[in-house]
Amino acid sequence: MGNMGWFSVGFRMICWLCFVVCVGGIGANWGTQTSHPIPPNTVVQMLKNNGFQKVKLFDADEGILNALKRSGLEVMVGIPNDMLAVLAASTKAAQNWVSKNVSEYINDGVNIRYVAVGNEPFLQTYNGSFLQTTFPALQNVQGALTKAGLNSQVKVTIPLNADVYESSSGRPSDGDFRSDIRDLMLAIVKFLSDNAAPFTVNIYPFISLYSDPNFPVDYAFFEGNSSPVIDGTTSYTNMFDANHDTLIWALKKNGYGNLPVIVGEIGWPTDGDMNANPQYAQRFNQGFMNHILMGQGTPMRPGPVDAYLFSLIDEDEKSIQPGNFERHWGIFTYDGLPKYQLNLGTTKTGGLVRALNVQYLDKKWCVLKPSVNLDDSRIAPSVSYACANADCTSLGYNTSCGNLDAQGNISYAFNSFYQKNDQDAVACDFSNLATITEKDPTTGTCRFEIMIVADSGMSWNLPRSPICSHTPCFMEINEYLLRCKRLNKMVTMRISFKIE
């Protein structure tokens, strides 16, 4: 290799190091799959009060982007998977999306730094649904950014699950991209490299523990108590480092060892599974923060780690198909309360700062009438309906409400539905099985929630109908209203995307 070759390599290395230093710091994923969102301005202030430097969004929500104006927070704005086909098929659609959801907001003071094209589109559980559209959408969005003169300021990326790479031996040095998508991944990686854009990966040790009962628990954490994975002269004592470096090896052996990497999602849930609890979540997230605050990085990629915690706030409308824990990833509860002590290294107190000025509904709850016989045939369908249309994921074995008796379980389900429907009296009927009380049923670790006042336009009410006092009628009317509500949210989301 000649002198110019050495100069070129050295220059690229300096550029990469500059990139890492410039984008260092901790960020948060801000999801919106919730029935009663905290007002965006309140969340933005909470992000700033907790010292977050950046935020990752899953869609171009108009209210959130407006709240981020002149906030100083770096923003990664997302494009949902269901929009990939449109953007892949039309350069004009991509240009319109960038104009309305990037250019306009940058001009108004939103510090957008990345566009995330899709979200884990190559998950094996998607059965290849987005294999044909993700890369063309990425190319068209990049072309739109270039045409808008933003290609040096805003970078494209694709948040990918760690299942896009693998190691046949379990050692990071044997890492390579998944065989069924290897050619596609290499094309994407080359495109990212050519456009000075980062590779974004989501790493979840919790999922490994959840999926494999034989997974060594200590290996998911950062104390170094686990039996190490030996890879040549390197010992890996935690899954994050090993998983991360499996990716770095996959990039390196294919000629892209210096490509910047962002950890797009990393975290631990607090409920909905025997291993999802505040103690483990605090242990993991604090261990991760300590790990990256030291600036040591991983064996294959020393230095600062660019990462976004998953997630900021619990989301009670997330799909629970992967597991009940899906609604409990937040480091804050649905109403902005810290779940546990977590030192991000960014606040004077060394702990999390709650959301300010959150407004609650009245202090009242919906519970099963004490006089009702637990063998009443109306109970089972009523509980099923309540849980199907609200959130009962805190009920179950070794969960926060796992120690409730039968009456407590029923009351929890009724109250969840009642609160989600803004404490409407009709939502606490259940064929005359339930009653409203002002005595808090909360017990031990099981919190019976009081819903917050929803952000404007997001709340809905049930009709007060004297003709609907029996269970089938009650359920039919409410199911209709819930469908209307979901349709309204879909319309609102489509308007906010502005792709026409």
Side-chain angles (χ1 to χ4, degrees):
M1 181 182 291
N3 290 336
M4 286 305 293
W6 281 109
F7 175 81
S8 176
V9 171
F11 180 76
R12 287 199 299 269
M13 178 62 71
I14 291 171
C15 289
W16 174 76
L17 289 171
C18 289
F19 179 90
V20 170
V21 171
C22 290
V23 299
I26 193 65
N29 284 271
W30 180 357
T32 58
Q33 295 183 64
T34 175
S35 62
H36 289 65
I38 302 174
N41 287 329
T42 301
V43 177
V44 169
Q45 189 60 52
M46 182 173 71
L47 285 164
K48 296 173 67 175
N49 289 346
N50 283 281
F52 286 103
Q53 293 101 343
K54 51 200 176 185
V55 64
K56 179 168 166 279
L57 310 176
F58 293 91
D59 53 44
D61 184 274
E62 183 176 3
I64 290 176
L65 286 169
N66 282 330
L68 286 164
K69 291 178 180 177
R70 292 173 290 280
S71 67
L73 294 167
E74 294 183 4
V75 179
M76 180 186 293
V77 61
I79 297 174
N81 290 338
D82 62 5
M83 289 185 63
L84 294 177
V86 173
L87 298 177
S90 169
T91 56
K92 184 64 175 177
Q95 289 166 9
N96 287 344
W97 191 93
V98 167
S99 174
K100 297 299 183 182
N101 297 296
V102 180
S103 300
E104 286 187 13
Y105 286 109
I106 286 177
N107 292 337
D108 286 340
V110 181
N111 186 18
I112 297 176
R113 298 289 297 275
Y114 303 101
V115 173
V117 181
N119 183 49
E120 299 186 336
F122 303 150
L123 268 178
Q124 290 176 304
T125 52
Y126 288 152
N127 297 316
S129 299
F130 307 107
L131 290 179
Q132 304 303 317
T133 55
T134 301
F135 189 26
L138 181 76
Q139 293 171 305
N140 284 346
V141 171
Q142 176 64 52
L145 289 170
T146 300
K147 184 171 183 178
L150 296 172
N151 55 303
S152 62
Q153 178 181 350
V154 182
K155 299 299 180 181
V156 293
T157 189
I158 304 174
L160 294 163
N161 189 276
D163 75 348
V164 299
Y165 50 89
E166 56 193 2
S167 169
S168 58
S169 67
R171 294 186 297 270
S173 61
D174 287 325
D176 203 348
F177 293 107
R178 210 171 74 210
S179 58
D180 62 309
I181 57 170
R182 188 172 184 273
D183 290 344
L184 175 59
M185 284 303 306
L186 291 181
I188 289 172
V189 167
K190 181 182 186 304
F191 186 81
L192 294 174
S193 178
D194 289 346
N195 288 281
F199 190 109
T200 300
V201 61
N202 301 338
I203 299 176
Y204 282 111
F206 169 81
I207 299 298
S208 297
L209 184 60
Y210 176 77
S211 304
D212 181 2
N214 297 315
F215 186 86
V217 175
D218 285 340
Y219 193 58
F221 300 96
F222 294 91
E223 293 90 348
N225 298 329
S226 175
S227 298
V229 171
I230 306 299
D231 191 2
T233 59
T234 304
S235 295
Y236 288 93
T237 59
N238 69 81
M239 183 187 169
F240 170 76
D241 282 358
N243 190 299
H244 183 277
D245 281 3
T246 303
L247 168 61
I248 302 304
W249 273 106
L251 292 169
K252 181 179 180 179
K253 68 179 51 175
N254 289 291
Y256 300 95
N258 293 327
L259 188 71
V261 171
I262 292 174
V263 180
E265 297 179 19
I266 186 166
W268 199 282
T270 56
D271 212 349
D273 180 71
M274 61 182 294
N275 290 311
N277 55 66
Q279 293 74 34
Y280 273 9
Q282 194 276 341
R283 179 184 174 189
F284 179 83
N285 282 331
Q286 190 61 70
F288 177 71
M289 288 307 307
N290 293 344
H291 194 59
I292 67 172
L293 285 172
M294 289 188 291
Q296 66 187 40
T298 66
M300 283 297 292
R301 186 62 70 84
V305 175
D306 190 9
Y308 296 79
L309 292 180
F310 190 87
S311 65
L312 187 65
I313 304 167
D314 281 350
E315 299 171 74
D316 67 346
E317 291 196 336
K318 284 198 74 177
S319 168
I320 58 173
Q321 186 174 2
N324 286 346
F325 57 84
E326 277 296 325
R327 295 177 177 176
H328 302 280
W329 287 98
I331 60 175
F332 292 92
T333 58
Y334 73 99
D335 51 350
L337 297 177
K339 294 185 182 179
Y340 44 82
Q341 180 73 15
L342 182 61
N343 185 359
L344 301 175
T346 56
T347 63
K348 294 180 180 179
T349 62
L352 297 176
V353 181
R354 66 178 294 173
L356 302 177
N357 303 315
V358 174
Q359 298 181 10
Y360 292 84
L361 301 180
D362 295 338
K363 290 185 177 181
K364 54 186 182 180
W365 299 262
C366 178
V367 297
L368 179 69
K369 288 181 177 178
S371 59
V372 173
N373 190 317
L374 294 178
D375 294 328
D376 193 306
S377 62
R378 297 170 295 173
I379 289 179
S382 295
V383 169
S384 295
Y385 179 78
C387 289
N389 292 290
D391 182 22
C392 295
T393 55
S394 292
L395 299 174
Y397 176 68
N398 271 2
T399 57
S400 64
C401 296
N403 292 325
L404 293 178
D405 59 16
Q407 182 156 349
N409 277 283
I410 298 165
S411 292
Y412 187 94
F414 286 177
N415 185 65
S416 179
F417 184 82
Y418 173 65
Q419 300 294 341
K420 186 170 181 177
N421 288 284
D422 297 322
Q423 296 185 352
D424 194 296
V426 173
C428 187
D429 180 52
F430 294 102
S431 303
N432 205 32
L433 295 171
T435 186
I436 296 170
T437 180
E438 295 182 357
K439 182 180 179 181
D440 189 352
T442 294
T443 176
T445 60
C446 185
R447 178 187 179 192
F448 278 65
E449 298 171 350
I450 299 175
M451 190 49 69
I452 64 173
V453 177
D455 186 30
S456 60
M458 296 297 289
S459 181
W460 77 99
N461 289 305
L462 302 180
R464 300 179 184 274
S465 172
I467 64 169
C468 190
S469 59
H470 60 288
T471 300
C473 172
F474 172 77
M475 292 182 179
E476 288 170 9
I477 288 180
N478 282 287
E479 181 62 26
Y480 171 77
L481 291 168
L482 285 165
R483 287 178 180 173
C484 288
K485 176 253 183 181
R486 293 190 190 104
L487 178 60
N488 287 335
K489 287 186 73 174
M490 289 172 64
V491 171
T492 302
M493 289 172 68
R494 283 297 179 189
I495 291 172
S496 70
F497 292 151
K498 302 175 182 174
I499 63 171
E500 60 277 4

